[in-house]
C-alpha cells in the first residue's frame, strides 16, 4: 500500500489544495478540500448525496470552476487562466452517471469522434484505436450499434472506451453504476477493475462499497462539503469515526 | 384498438363529407350564375399560340436573300434585326410603324402563371437558405455565453416577430432598398429571410436547449472546445429535433412570399391578379393559384419527411 505522505512530489498526478466552491446561489459546496492522488492510484470517494463529492470530482477536470484554492495536474495549475483547459481535459477522462453517449453516433463513432477532431487522428487510425478499445471492454460485436440499441451496462462500457481513446493520464468516474440495473453493475465494475490492475489512475465517486474495499488504494469520506476522512480500505471500514459510522449505518 | 372495418368506415364517411363540400362549392357557383371556363386558363400557364414580333420603331422592312428580316429605322438608330421567326407578315420594302406585327414565331412558351410560380419558387428557395443561415447564427448567439450576443439576438427576434411582415417588406424596399440601391427581387428576398430567420432562430435555440447538458459536458471533458462540441455533438442532435417545426416555418415562408407582390414582384399571387383581369375567370384562377401553392408546400413537406426518416436511423 502506498503511503502518500512519504512519496516525492513528482509521483503526485493530481493535487487539490484547499479547494473551495461556492455556487452563485450561496451554497458552499466544497470547504477547504485538499487531496493528493498518486500515479496509478485508485481513490474512491464516498459520502451522502449533497456531500460535494461529485462537485469535487468535476472540479478535477474543470467542468466545475472553483472559488478559491488550486488544482495541479502533473504540476500544471488548472486554475491559472493561461492554462489551455481543453488540452488538460484530454489528459483527464470522465465517465458520467448517465453515460452521456452521443446518440447520433454508433458505438464506434462515439469512440472515434474526439481522437479525430481533437487529436487530429486519421479516420483509419481512430477506427483502429476505437475497435481495439471496444474489444477490450467486451463490445466487439456491438460496434455499429447506436446507443439506443445498447443496454445501460453496454453504454457505460462504450463511455469508458470513449474516455480511454484520448489516452488520458487519469480517469474520473462520477457514480458510474448508479443509473444501471443491478444485473449490469458487475460488467462495468469488471472493466474498471481491469483498468485498475493495468495501473490507470482513477478517482471514483460511488456507492459500491464492495468495489471500494476490493480495488481502492485509498477511500475518502466526504460530508457537507468537507473531506472528513481518507484511509486505506482496511482501516477505513474499521474506522470508529462517528460521522462515517452514521453514514455506513445508513447505507450498509 | 382500431379495427380494420372501423377504419374503412372512417375513410368512407370522410369521402362522403368531402363530396358534400365539393358539390357545395359547385352549387354555390351555379347559384350566382357563374359559368366555369377552365379552358381559358391554359394559355396563361402554357401558351401554345404563335406570338407576334412587333417593330420597335418606325422604319422600312428589309428581307435579304437569305431570308433574314431587319427593320431600318427612319431616323439614324441601329436596325432592329429579327433573328428567328416562323411566318413573315411584312414584305421587303414595306413601310413599318412602331408596334406593327412584322413576323410571327410558333412554339410554346410559359404563360404568366407558370412564370409567377417559378418566381415564387425562386424567391422562397433563396430566402430559405438565407433564413437558415440567419436563424442558425442568431440561435447560436441566443445560447452563447456573452451577454452582448444574447442581447443582440433577443432584440432581433423580438423586433422582427413583433412587427408585420407586410410593414417589414415596405421598410426594406423603400428605406433599406433606397439606401443600398436594392432591386425589387433582392429587397423581397431580404425581407423574407430576415422575417423567417427570426422564427428559425427561436426554433434553433429551442433545439439546442433540448439537448441534455450532459452532452456538452461529455464533449468538453473529451477535450473538445466549445465550437467543436457545438458542431459535432450538439447541433447534429438539435437539427434532428428542429426538423418538424422548421418544416412548418418553411411552409409559412412559401406562403408569406405572396406578400412580396406588394412591391411589384410578379410572383404567383401577382400573376394570378393580372391573369384575372385578362381572362375574366377569377374563380378558376384563384383555385389554380391555391392548388399550385399546395403543390410547392406539399413537395417541401415530402422532402423534409424523407430527411427526418434518414436522420432517425439512430433512434
Amino acid at each position: 500500500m502506498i503511503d502518500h505522505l512519504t512519496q516525492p512530489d513528482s509521483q503526485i498526478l493530481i493535487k487539490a489544495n484547499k479547494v473551495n466552491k461556492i455556487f452563485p446561489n450561496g451554497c458552499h459546496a466544497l470547504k477547504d478540500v485538499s487531496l493528493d492522488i498518486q500515479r496509478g492510484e485508485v481513490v474512491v470517494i464516498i459520502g451522502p448525496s449533497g456531500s460535494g463529492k461529485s462537485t469535487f470530482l468535476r472540479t478535477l477536470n474543470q467542468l466545475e470552476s472553483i472559488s478559491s484554492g488550486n488544482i495541479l495536474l502533473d504540476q500544471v495549475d488548472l486554475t491559472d487562466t493561461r492554462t489551455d483547459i481543453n488540452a488538460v481535459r484530454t489528459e483527464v477522462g470522465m465517465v458520467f452517471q448517465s453515460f452521456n453517449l452521443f446518440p447520433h453516433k454508433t458505438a464506434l463513432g462515439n469512440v472515434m469522434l474526439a481522437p479525430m477532431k481533437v487529436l487530429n487522428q486519421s479516420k483509419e487510425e481512430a477506427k483502429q484505436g476505437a475497435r481495439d478499445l471496444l474489444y477490450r471492454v467486451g463490445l466487439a460485436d456491438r460496434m455499429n450499434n447506436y446507443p439506443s440499441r445498447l443496454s445501460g451496462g453496454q453504454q457505460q462500457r462504450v463511455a469508458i472506451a470513449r474516455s480511454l481513446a484520448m489516452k488520458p493520464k487519469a480517469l474520473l468516474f462520477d457514480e458510474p453504476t448508479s443509473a444501471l440495473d443491478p444485473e449490469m453493475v458487475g460488467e462495468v465494475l469488471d472493466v474498471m477493475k481491469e483498468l485498475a490492475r493495468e495501473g490507470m489512475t482513477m478517482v471514483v465517486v460511488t456507492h459500491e462499497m464492495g468495489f471500494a474495499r476490493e480495488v481502492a488504494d485509498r477511500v475518502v469520506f466526504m460530508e457537507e462539503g468537507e473531506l472528513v476522512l481518507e484511509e486505506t480500505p482496511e482501516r477505513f471500514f474499521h474506522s470508529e469515526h462517528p460521522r462515517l459510522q452514521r453514514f455506513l449505518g445508513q447505507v450498509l | 384498438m382500431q379495427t380494420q372495418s372501423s377504419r374503412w368506415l372512417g375513410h368512407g364517411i370522410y369521402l362522403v363529407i368531402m363530396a358534400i363540400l365539393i358539390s357545395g362549392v359547385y352549387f354555390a357557383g351555379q347559384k350566382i350564375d357563374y359559368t366555369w371556363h377552365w379552358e381559358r386558363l391554359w394559355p396563361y400557364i402554357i401558351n401554345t399560340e404563335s406570338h407576334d414580333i412587333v417593330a420597335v420603331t418606325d422604319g422600312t422592312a428589309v428581307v435579304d436573300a437569305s431570308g433574314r428580316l431587319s427593320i431600318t429605322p427612319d431616323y439614324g438608330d441601329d436596325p432592329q434585326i429579327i433573328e428567328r421567326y416562323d411566318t413573315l407578315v411584312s414584305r421587303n420594302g414595306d413601310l413599318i410603324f412602331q408596334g406593327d406585327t412584322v413576323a410571327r414565331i410558333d412554339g410554346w412558351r410559359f404563360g404568366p402563371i407558370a412564370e409567377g410560380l417559378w418566381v415564387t419558387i425562386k424567391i422562397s428557395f433563396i430566402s430559405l437558405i438565407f433564413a437558415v443561415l440567419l436563424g442558425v447564427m442568431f440561435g447560436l448567439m441566443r445560447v452563447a455565453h456573452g451577454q452582448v450576443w444574447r442581447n443582440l439576438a433577443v432584440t432581433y427576434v423580438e423586433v422582427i416577430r413583433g412587427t408585420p411582415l407586410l410593414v417589414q417588406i415596405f421598410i426594406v424596399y423603400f428605406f433599406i432598398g433606397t439606401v443600398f440601391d436594392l432591386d425589387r427581387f433582392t429587397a423581397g428576398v431580404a425581407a423574407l429571410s430576415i422575417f423567417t430567420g427570426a422564427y428559425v432562430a427561436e426554433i434553433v435555440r429551442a433545439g439546442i436547449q433540448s439537448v441534455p447538458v450532459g452532452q456538452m459536458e461529455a464533449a468538453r471533458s473529451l477535450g473538445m472546445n466549445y465550437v467543436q462540441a457545438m458542431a459535432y455533438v450538439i447541433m447534429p442532435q438539435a437539427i434532428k429535433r428542429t426538423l418538424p417545426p422548421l418544416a412548418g416555418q418553411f411552409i409559412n415562408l412559401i406562403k408569406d412570399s405572396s406578400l412580396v407582390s406588394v412591391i411589384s414582384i410578379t410572383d404567383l399571387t401577382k400573376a394570378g391578379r393580372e391573369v384575372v383581369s385578362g381572362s375574366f375567370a377569377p374563380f378558376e384562377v384563384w383555385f389554380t393559384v391555391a392548388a399550385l401553392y399546395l403543390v410547392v408546400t406539399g413537395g417541401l413537406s415530402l422532402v423534409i419527411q424523407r430527411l427526418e426518416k434518414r436522420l432517425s436511423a439512430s433512434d
Side-chain angles (χ1 to χ4, degrees):
Chain A
M1 203 50 56
I2 307 161
D3 184 356
H4 69 285
L5 293 174
T6 60
Q7 292 292 317
D9 243 23
S10 63
Q11 275 302 103
I12 294 175
L13 181 61
I14 301 172
K15 187 180 183 66
N17 189 21
K18 286 200 182 332
V19 171
N20 276 279
K21 170 75 188 182
I22 301 164
F23 282 107
N25 64 10
C27 171
H28 200 158
L30 295 174
K31 297 166 187 161
D32 280 337
V33 178
S34 297
L35 182 69
D36 293 349
I37 293 150
Q38 317 280 326
R39 282 173 210 283
E41 196 182 20
V42 177
V43 174
V44 169
I45 305 176
I46 64 169
S49 56
S51 60
K53 53 192 193 308
S54 282
T55 307
F56 177 63
L57 192 76
R58 289 159 58 86
T59 62
L60 297 183
N61 69 349
Q62 288 293 290
L63 274 187
E64 208 76 71
S65 62
I66 61 175
S67 311
S68 72
N70 56 27
I71 294 167
L72 302 177
L73 175 85
D74 240 356
Q75 284 144 4
V76 176
D77 189 349
L78 305 194
T79 50
D80 191 330
T81 48
R82 284 165 299 180
T83 304
D84 176 3
I85 196 62
N86 294 320
V88 169
R89 286 192 182 125
T90 64
E91 302 190 331
V92 191
M94 183 142 191
V95 176
F96 298 87
Q97 180 178 355
S98 48
F99 328 132
N100 296 348
L101 287 186
F102 307 138
H104 61 299
K105 301 246 172 223
T106 60
L108 202 60
N110 264 276
V111 182
M112 286 166 63
L113 185 64
M116 280 168 64
K117 303 302 179 190
V118 180
L119 304 179
N120 295 317
Q121 288 184 6
S122 71
K123 198 173 175 187
E124 287 69 38
E125 200 182 349
K127 200 173 213 166
Q128 193 52 53
R131 278 215 184 97
D132 293 346
L133 283 167
L134 287 169
Y135 182 80
R136 231 171 104 187
V137 298
L139 290 171
D141 55 338
R142 286 274 185 271
M143 292 194 195
N144 296 316
N145 286 48
Y146 285 99
S148 57
R149 296 261 179 278
L150 296 173
S151 73
Q154 291 169 335
Q155 289 192 52
Q156 193 61 297
R157 285 186 281 153
V158 173
I160 293 172
R162 181 175 68 176
S163 295
L164 288 173
M166 301 301 287
K167 300 192 173 63
K169 291 176 180 169
L171 271 186
L172 311 176
F173 292 83
D174 188 5
E175 305 200 24
T177 56
S178 298
L180 294 177
D181 291 336
E183 72 270 21
M184 290 168 186
V185 170
E187 60 190 71
V188 172
L189 290 182
D190 285 346
V191 170
M192 290 168 66
K193 284 175 198 167
E194 183 60 33
L195 283 173
R197 261 199 297 278
E198 287 165 13
M200 172 62 74
T201 309
M202 294 159 64
V203 186
V204 185
V205 170
T206 188
H207 296 294
E208 294 292 330
M209 298 303 164
F211 179 82
R213 219 176 248 132
E214 187 183 342
V215 184
D217 296 308
R218 256 186 311 148
V219 185
V220 171
F221 176 60
M222 286 183 73
E223 193 183 43
E224 287 170 0
E226 290 172 68
L227 196 156
V228 178
L229 190 68
E230 62 174 295
E231 279 294 357
T232 61
E234 298 92 82
R235 282 197 258 170
F236 184 89
F237 288 105
H238 294 105
S239 165
E240 300 292 321
H241 200 289
R243 291 165 84 176
L244 176 60
Q245 283 297 317
R246 199 172 54 220
F247 172 67
L248 290 178
Q250 283 163 358
V251 295
L252 290 179
Chain B
M1 265 304 273
Q2 216 181 12
T3 59
Q4 195 69 20
S5 59
S6 78
R7 201 158 47 202
W8 283 116
L9 184 67
H11 285 311
I13 295 172
Y14 159 79
L15 287 177
V16 171
I17 294 172
M18 288 310 286
I20 292 171
L21 286 176
I22 291 167
S23 56
V25 172
Y26 175 77
F27 287 120
Q30 294 244 302
K31 198 163 180 198
I32 54 168
D33 263 343
Y34 189 82
T35 348
W36 298 87
H37 287 293
W38 288 99
E39 74 286 349
R40 280 195 201 162
L41 227 56
W42 277 112
Y44 296 100
I45 298 169
I46 291 171
N47 194 345
T48 48
E49 282 169 27
S50 60
H51 82 117
D52 300 345
I53 300 169
V54 294
V56 290
T57 54
D58 300 349
T60 314
V62 182
V63 183
D64 64 16
S66 61
R68 205 178 66 148
L69 171 68
S70 60
I71 295 152
T72 312
D74 291 343
Y75 308 101
D77 297 324
D78 289 333
Q80 178 191 359
I81 296 162
I82 291 109
E83 302 279 0
R84 216 168 63 79
Y85 61 88
D86 291 300
T87 337
L88 201 59
V89 178
S90 52
R91 280 170 304 186
N92 193 16
D94 274 2
L95 268 182
I96 302 290
F97 295 99
Q98 186 180 349
D100 281 359
T101 301
V102 290
R104 287 208 180 85
I105 192 159
D106 297 338
W108 62 275
R109 288 161 299 135
F110 284 119
I113 288 185
E115 275 169 2
L117 177 66
W118 174 237
V119 170
T120 288
I121 291 173
K122 204 164 59 174
I123 204 167
S124 304
F125 185 73
I126 299 173
S127 304
L128 189 148
I129 289 169
F130 282 108
V132 168
L133 290 178
L134 278 174
V136 169
M137 192 174 91
F138 280 95
L140 284 170
M141 278 166 66
R142 188 77 174 67
V143 296
H145 291 299
Q147 191 63 47
V148 185
W149 300 121
R150 288 210 299 270
N151 288 357
L152 284 171
V154 169
T155 309
Y156 166 66
V157 169
E158 292 305 324
V159 167
I160 297 301
R161 286 204 311 189
T163 51
L165 175 57
L166 197 53
V167 175
Q168 288 170 21
I169 291 174
F170 284 132
I171 290 176
V172 169
Y173 182 56
F174 289 113
F175 177 65
I176 302 174
T178 310
V179 174
F180 293 102
D181 196 22
L182 303 179
D183 62 71
R184 293 171 202 292
F185 189 81
T186 316
V189 166
L192 281 174
S193 350
I194 291 169
F195 179 77
T196 309
Y199 289 88
V200 174
E202 277 300 280
I203 294 171
V204 168
R205 175 192 64 81
I208 291 172
Q209 287 177 342
S210 76
V211 177
V213 185
Q215 291 291 312
M216 180 54 104
E217 289 186 345
R220 297 304 301 272
S221 76
L222 288 166
M224 288 186 216
N225 59 37
Y226 182 80
V227 175
Q228 288 172 323
M230 269 291 169
Y232 304 125
V233 176
I234 307 297
M235 285 309 276
Q237 297 181 53
I239 284 168
K240 198 170 115 181
R241 286 161 205 240
T242 53
L243 268 180
L246 275 183
Q249 203 52 56
F250 293 159
I251 285 168
N252 276 343
L253 168 63
I254 292 171
K255 296 184 295 179
D256 289 342
S257 74
S258 63
L259 287 175
V260 298
S261 55
V262 296
I263 52 172
S264 284
I265 296 174
T266 312
D267 71 327
L268 184 51
T269 303
K270 184 148 188 288
R273 235 167 31 210
E274 285 168 2
V275 168
V276 164
S277 56
S279 68
F280 302 107
F283 292 3
E284 293 88 333
V285 169
W286 290 123
F287 278 123
T288 307
V289 166
L292 288 173
Y293 273 112
L294 201 59
V295 167
V296 178
T297 54
L300 185 74
S301 284
L302 215 66
V303 169
I304 291 182
Q305 267 175 31
R306 283 270 178 88
L307 201 63
E308 259 179 80
K309 219 170 207 165
R310 248 184 47 195
L311 287 177
S312 68
S314 60
D315 287 341

